[in-house]
Amino acid sequence: MGVDVRHVADGIHLVHGSHTNWVILGEGDAVTLVDTGYPGDRRQLLDSLAAVGSSPEAVAAVLITHAHNDHLGSAEHLRSVYGTPVLLHEAEVPHARRDFLQQVTVGEVLRNAWRPGVLPWTVHVLRRGGTEQHPVTAPEAFPVTDAPLDLPGRPVPVHTPGHTVGHTVFHLPDAGMVISGDALVSGHRTSRLRGPQLLPDMFHHERARAVASLDVLETLDADVLLPGHGPLHRGSVKAAAQQARERAV
């Protein structure tokens, strides 16, 4: 399976993995990697770094929007093999260690198996190692601050709980972009909708908080959305969050 790397702006690439996206932020010879796809996406992940002229050794840090298997997949590999720091919101750190797991269960998936796309998605998840656990042995919390992180791309973490307790989006104010993880997506294999939306209810740890976090996204000055699932979305992120809220009613 090839790798689909989209150049969004200078130093910013959105990568479409098998079902999940990740983002590469470059600055000089160093990069920040935001999310890492499924465990089975590792070859694509490494190929995407090569495609932008980088390498695992050049990754200054891995930022994780949330510690679900389809975003955390190769984080521990990069940490253990290359010494790459893996950074999350402080509330998500124990989730990355697998002190607990806030992820859709097999039972919940089976109860939703009648929905369009759920069975093919489930088969794909199994093939890409989506039910495997790859905890991060020593995850670290990034500072709780409104200031940009001292990393390539200068991302600003913004806490958006609901999908998981420590879910975080990353605002790129200079570029006018938001890396939204699963707080706001533009498509999913289990959804008939296209464009800005929340993931189907079964995927959220606390759906009401996920809806409430759209209020936070509305405050971010940006006109490009780099989602965890679905294609890049151009247009006001405020309007995108409003559309997702309307669809969630």
Side-chain angles (χ1 to χ4, degrees), residues 90-231:
E90 59 186 2
E92 199 74 2
V93 165
H95 195 193
R97 287 196 303 257
R98 287 298 180 260
D99 296 353
F100 56 81
L101 182 60
Q102 295 176 344
Q103 188 157 299
V104 64
T105 66
V106 173
E108 287 169 324
V109 171
L110 291 175
R111 286 193 294 274
N112 284 273
W114 59 273
R115 296 181 182 276
V118 170
L119 285 179
W121 170 81
T122 302
V123 170
H124 175 84
V125 168
L126 294 172
R127 287 175 174 170
R128 303 306 289 182
T131 58
E132 300 171 9
Q133 298 301 329
H134 294 265
V136 179
T137 305
E140 303 172 44
F142 47 68
V144 178
T145 174
D146 293 332
L149 298 177
D150 186 19
L151 292 170
R154 307 289 288 169
V156 179
V158 181
H159 188 208
T160 48
H163 186 65
T164 65
V165 68
H167 189 288
T168 297
V169 306
F170 295 97
H171 187 202
L172 308 176
D174 292 342
M177 301 182 189
V178 174
I179 303 169
S180 59
D182 287 3
L184 177 61
V185 302
S186 61
H188 193 265
R189 296 293 180 90
T190 63
S191 172
R192 289 178 169 176
L193 299 175
R194 295 293 178 266
Q197 60 189 281
L198 288 178
L199 287 171
D201 292 356
M202 68 175 176
F203 293 113
H204 299 300
H205 177 62
E206 296 176 282
R207 182 184 183 276
R209 291 188 79 189
V211 173
S213 283
L214 293 172
D215 294 346
V216 178
L217 281 156
E218 279 191 44
T219 69
L220 302 180
D221 184 14
D223 54 15
V224 176
L225 186 74
L226 308 177
H229 300 276

